[in-house]
Amino acid sequence: MKLVRYGAVGAEKPGLVDGDGTLRDLSGHVADIAGKVLDPASLTALARLDPKALPAVSGKPRLGPCVAGTGKFICIGLNYADHAAESGLQVPPEPVVFMKASSAIVGPDDDVLIPRGSLKTDWEVELAVVIGKTAKYVTEAEALDHVAGYCVAHDVSERAFQTERSGQWTKGKSCDTFGPTGPWLVTKDEVKDPQDLKMWLKVNGETMQNGSTRTMVYGVAFLVSYLSQFMSLHPGDIISTGTPPGVGMGMKPPRYLKAGDVVELGIEGLGSQRQTFRADA
């Protein structure tokens, strides 16, 4: 299934995209795409519904973040060997873990705000994993049983805030609108192999990133298991698993985003996003 949330900011409704690409309203069956709705049993019940029997949504409404109620937005750094190389850094012996504020989450096509004082706002297309069932001390073999599905995430980053102002990476990752997710949550049964998905990103029509999850150092199952040793993962939590090469910071000379730039990005089978970058007021 492709589960979506559509409508005005703060008033999104649950829906799904059927096999013909038609947006269907799910609000007669669930309150939102969040919490217990993400549990495997609940997703199985939704999968039994006849999409053609659900009301079609007219027009082209805004798509919101594909999951609501995210408590933790966990990110993995330097998780692609080729991206670590372009950053001039070694592949870490264990995953680099940092947090992105949940207040950064926006819809897949919402504008992204370049924060005050920013000179180094950068792009990163990433595969995101959405937790469906609480995971605590799970093994790698059990890990995917706790995953609801996958989505595209844009880990927008302010590199000066991230690396030049001391402290942790979080403050360069958590600015408002720095976490577009969606367009939809694709349930894991529709993703044959999360470690073999093509991914891409363009700035103003120019391809910057053209990679694959095949070059991921630490795979999805490992990451879910690994993180669950340190914290409980709850339904709706998002794990953003790192980016392939081609970020602005790695270019010679570096290249960063400015107001008016348009970024498009996507992952095979998971849809695409499009954002216009604007200066924050």
Side-chain angles (χ1 to χ4, degrees):
M1 290 182 294
K2 294 181 174 69
L3 300 174
V4 301
R5 301 175 65 251
Y6 67 95
V9 176
E12 292 92 347
K13 294 181 178 181
L16 65 77
V17 177
D18 69 17
D20 297 326
T22 300
L23 176 58
R24 302 278 178 173
D25 181 28
L26 267 179
S27 57
H29 297 271
V30 295
D32 208 342
I33 309 300
K36 293 182 179 179
V37 172
L38 300 170
D39 184 85
S42 297
L43 293 177
T44 298
L46 285 179
R48 294 195 186 106
L49 297 174
D50 177 7
K52 303 298 184 184
L54 299 171
V57 178
S58 61
K60 293 185 177 180
R62 166 189 174 268
L63 295 182
C66 58
V67 175
T70 296
K72 295 189 287 297
F73 196 154
I74 308 166
C75 298
I76 307 300
L78 303 174
N79 195 31
Y80 284 69
D82 34 13
H83 172 54
E86 75 170 347
S87 302
L89 298 168
Q90 297 293 321
V91 172
E94 291 192 32
V96 173
V97 179
F98 61 92
M99 307 296 284
K100 198 174 188 84
S102 59
S103 56
I105 297 173
V106 291
D109 300 327
D110 290 344
D111 288 351
V112 173
L113 301 177
I114 298 174
R116 292 181 186 178
S118 169
L119 296 174
K120 297 182 178 181
T121 293
D122 203 349
W123 57 83
E124 294 189 14
V125 59
E126 304 204 0
L127 171 68
V129 181
V130 178
I131 298 299
K133 182 172 68 172
T134 298
K136 184 176 182 180
Y137 300 131
V138 301
T139 66
E140 190 170 348
E142 301 167 324
L144 295 186
D145 295 338
H146 297 262
V147 171
Y150 305 94
C151 67
V152 181
H154 190 179
D155 179 20
V156 186
S157 309
E158 211 302 333
R159 301 302 189 186
F161 296 0
Q162 176 188 354
T163 64
E164 299 173 18
R165 297 187 58 177
S166 188
Q168 299 180 346
W169 287 7
T170 301
K171 61 179 175 283
K173 299 282 190 170
S174 296
C175 304
D176 292 349
T177 73
F178 269 25
T181 60
W184 40 68
L185 167 65
V186 179
T187 51
K188 65 180 178 183
D189 58 292
E190 293 199 10
V191 179
K192 183 178 179 180
D193 183 0
Q195 305 308 147
D196 189 17
L197 300 174
K198 295 177 182 177
M199 50 206 309
W200 57 271
L201 181 144
K202 298 180 180 180
V203 178
N204 299 326
E206 180 182 355
T207 297
M208 300 299 183
Q209 293 184 276
N210 186 14
S212 170
T213 58
R214 288 194 305 271
T215 66
M216 199 183 286
V217 178
Y218 300 106
V220 170
F222 179 88
L223 290 172
V224 172
S225 173
Y226 180 84
L227 292 169
S228 79
Q229 310 307 310
F230 304 104
M231 65 190 88
S232 294
L233 303 174
H234 297 128
D237 285 352
I238 295 172
I239 304 168
S240 201
T241 58
T243 198
V247 301
M249 178 180 65
M251 294 183 173
K252 301 185 187 304
R255 177 173 169 182
Y256 297 110
L257 294 164
K258 60 186 184 303
D261 284 344
V262 174
V263 177
E264 300 166 278
L265 60 148
I267 298 177
E268 179 182 7
L270 303 184
S272 61
Q273 303 182 355
R274 183 183 189 277
Q275 298 112 27
T276 300
F277 280 65
R278 312 263 185 218
D280 202 356

